[in-house]
Amino acid sequence: QVQLVESGGGLVEPGGSLRLSCAASGSIFSVGVMGWFRQAPGKQRALVARVTSFSSTTYADSVKGRFTISRDNAKNTVYLQMSSLKREAAAVYYCYARITLRTGMTTNDYWGQGTQVNVSS
């Protein structure tokens, strides 16, 4: 069984910064790509950023240059450093990870529970 536990969400002022964390735990053999999606009210869930196991990154155009995704493979943790936050960044942020379990060597994509980010003055 795998759990992705997110932390770091909360209220931040426009122009401020926030760092999200997401740690995967369980009977994990390996973790492939990890990333972050977000879903604002009335909107579809959209990709924010992803990072491969060898730290190759991709970003949505809307966050490029302001957000930084990184990972700690030893801790099975992915981070999202958010800077120069705009009001449109307010959303529920969901982490995900492609994980191979030791049991049966099965590979699936897993999702965190979501963490709320509010941007308000």
Side-chain angles (χ1 to χ4, degrees):
Q1 191 177 29
V2 169
Q3 284 191 323
L4 271 62
V5 180
E6 303 180 29
S7 62
L11 177 64
V12 64
E13 306 89 348
S17 298
L18 205 62
R19 190 174 87 148
L20 307 182
S21 300
C22 176
S25 62
S27 186
I28 296 171
F29 176 77
S30 64
V31 180
V33 64
M34 305 182 81
W36 295 90
F37 281 68
R38 67 186 177 189
Q39 188 165 25
K43 300 287 187 178
Q44 292 275 63
R45 189 175 297 189
L47 176 70
V48 178
R50 60 164 61 97
V51 56
T52 69
S53 59
F54 58 96
S55 297
S56 178
T57 59
T58 58
Y59 296 91
D61 287 341
S62 59
V63 307
K64 204 168 297 179
R66 299 182 298 108
F67 288 17
T68 301
I69 189 169
S70 61
R71 64 191 288 164
D72 185 336
N73 290 329
K75 297 180 179 179
N76 291 327
T77 299
V78 62
Y79 306 94
L80 186 67
Q81 177 66 50
M82 304 183 292
S83 300
S84 301
L85 280 165
K86 303 174 180 178
R87 293 186 185 274
E88 51 262 42
V92 177
Y93 285 70
Y94 299 90
C95 72
Y96 75 94
R98 178 161 290 182
I99 296 173
T100 300
L101 301 179
R102 294 186 182 277
T103 303
M105 298 295 287
T106 56
T107 301
N108 289 104
D109 292 338
Y110 295 86
W111 292 87
Q113 80 282 3
T115 185
Q116 180 73 51
V117 172
N118 290 315
V119 184
S120 181
S121 58

